């Protein structure tokens, strides 16, 4: 399973909603016998990286987007993985 573009509005951060949502997603995928959840994120988004690490995600790869209209600071990407085994 791969997750893309999940956002929480700033006023809802640090209220446990992200952890609740991800816990629900993880349990749902375990019930479906999904073995791995992948996600990618901008490597400068430190708070999001740290949040996902608390859930057990590990960085497995770094990459750089080559899209011509992306800002330079948004080109670095981390691919993170959570094993559900």
């Amino acid at each position: 399973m791969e997750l893309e573009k999940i956002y929480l509005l700033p006023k809802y951060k640090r209220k446990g909603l992200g952890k609740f949502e991800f816990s629900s997603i993880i349990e749902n995928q375990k019930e479906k016998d999904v073995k791995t959840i992948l996600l990618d994120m901008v490597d400068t988004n430190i708070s999001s990286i740290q949040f996902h690490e608390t859930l057990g995600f590990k960085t497995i790869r770094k990459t750089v987007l080559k899209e011509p209209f992306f800002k330079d600071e948004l080109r670095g990407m981390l691919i993170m993985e959570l094993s559900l085994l």
Side-chain angles (χ1 to χ4, degrees), residues 29-47:
Q29 295 308 299
K30 283 181 179 178
E31 291 172 7
K32 294 180 179 183
D33 292 323
V34 169
K35 310 261 186 285
T36 306
I37 298 176
L38 293 173
L39 58 88
D40 55 342
M41 69 181 66
V42 177
D43 65 1
T44 57
N45 191 345
I46 303 304
S47 63

Side-chain angles (χ1 to χ4, degrees), residues 20-62:
F20 174 78
E21 185 62 32
F22 264 94
S23 296
S24 298
I25 290 169
I26 290 166
E27 287 308 310
N28 178 275
Q29 295 308 299
K30 283 181 179 178
E31 291 172 7
K32 294 180 179 183
D33 292 323
V34 169
K35 310 261 186 285
T36 306
I37 298 176
L38 293 173
L39 58 88
D40 55 342
M41 69 181 66
V42 177
D43 65 1
T44 57
N45 191 345
I46 303 304
S47 63
S48 185
I49 293 166
Q50 291 172 337
F51 168 74
H52 288 93
E53 287 174 342
T54 66
L55 297 174
F57 281 86
K58 307 276 187 227
T59 298
I60 59 169
R61 189 168 58 249
K62 296 180 182 183

Side-chain angles (χ1 to χ4, degrees), residues 64-72 74-75:
V64 176
L65 296 175
K66 303 207 186 321
E67 302 298 324
F69 300 106
F70 267 59
K71 295 177 183 178
D72 286 340
L74 300 178
R75 290 180 185 272

Side-chain angles (χ1 to χ4, degrees), residues 65-85:
L65 296 175
K66 303 207 186 321
E67 302 298 324
F69 300 106
F70 267 59
K71 295 177 183 178
D72 286 340
E73 62 269 17
L74 300 178
R75 290 180 185 272
M77 301 294 291
L78 298 180
I79 311 302
M80 299 185 82
E81 176 183 67
L82 176 65
S83 174
L84 302 181
L85 298 176

